[in-house]
Amino acid sequence: MLTGKKAVIFDMDGSLVDSMWIWPEVDRIYMNKYGLVQPDDFHKAIEGKSYTETAQYFVDTFHNLHRTVEQVKEEWKDMTMELYSTKVLPKPGAVDFLRAMQKRGVLLGIATSNDRDLAEAALKAQGILGYFDSVRTSCEVAAGKPAPDVYLKVADDLQVRPSACLVFEDVPNGILAGKNAGMEVCAVDDAFSRPDEEEKKRLADYFIHDFYEIRDNTYERCGQDGK
């Protein structure tokens, strides 16, 4: 998995840290507040979108919302900042893996769909922000996942060619973003995306339940090409 890799790039929510549990409750409270009805395809429709793109989706989809994109984003931030600062923890084995990669001289990056302030709050709270040589959000590029833009931006920051990067992702559109960037991708188990596990394994090159599996060499090789 790591042979020939000069950089490791992480999606954050659900991949590096256990935080996806926050958003269904935020959506429920927010929709109740404004009397919104969740469409049947809601989760698939927003999967991989940047924080800004998701807010735009709300504005475009819920015509009775009467809020601007910036207002939606600020409300969500107000609702979640304390949680990201105090309740979000790294995935099992993630911190040990970061230490091991830093010791090996592998460059580390974050390519998140989340808001930068929320991402940095979570990473700072766990004392791991300093491990990363680049932190980028999909709001800083032309298009969110499954477009490759944010992963290519991080690779450019690190001055590493895409083929020498390994990506960790937890949802299908994120996996596609990494693959579309020309990178190998390891899918990460997460309760939120567990119903999509077979699709994740089909799309990704590798699959892990936790980061200890990399240390123990027990991760699953998968993907259409049999890697």
Side-chain angles (χ1 to χ4, degrees), residues 112-182:
T112 180
S113 298
N114 209 334
D115 173 79
R116 173 173 285 278
D117 291 341
L118 294 176
E120 291 187 351
L123 299 172
K124 285 179 181 177
Q126 295 304 315
I128 58 176
L129 179 60
Y131 282 102
F132 297 99
D133 304 284
S134 172
V135 177
R136 291 288 184 173
T137 80
S138 294
C139 297
E140 300 171 43
V141 294
K145 304 169 186 178
D149 302 32
V150 69
Y151 280 109
L152 293 174
K153 184 65 173 175
V154 174
D156 184 61
D157 287 347
L158 301 177
Q159 298 185 343
V160 176
R161 68 185 187 280
S163 61
C165 298
L166 175 66
V167 165
F168 287 93
E169 269 283 1
D170 67 304
V171 296
N173 273 352
I175 294 168
L176 285 171
K179 297 298 291 182
N180 289 337

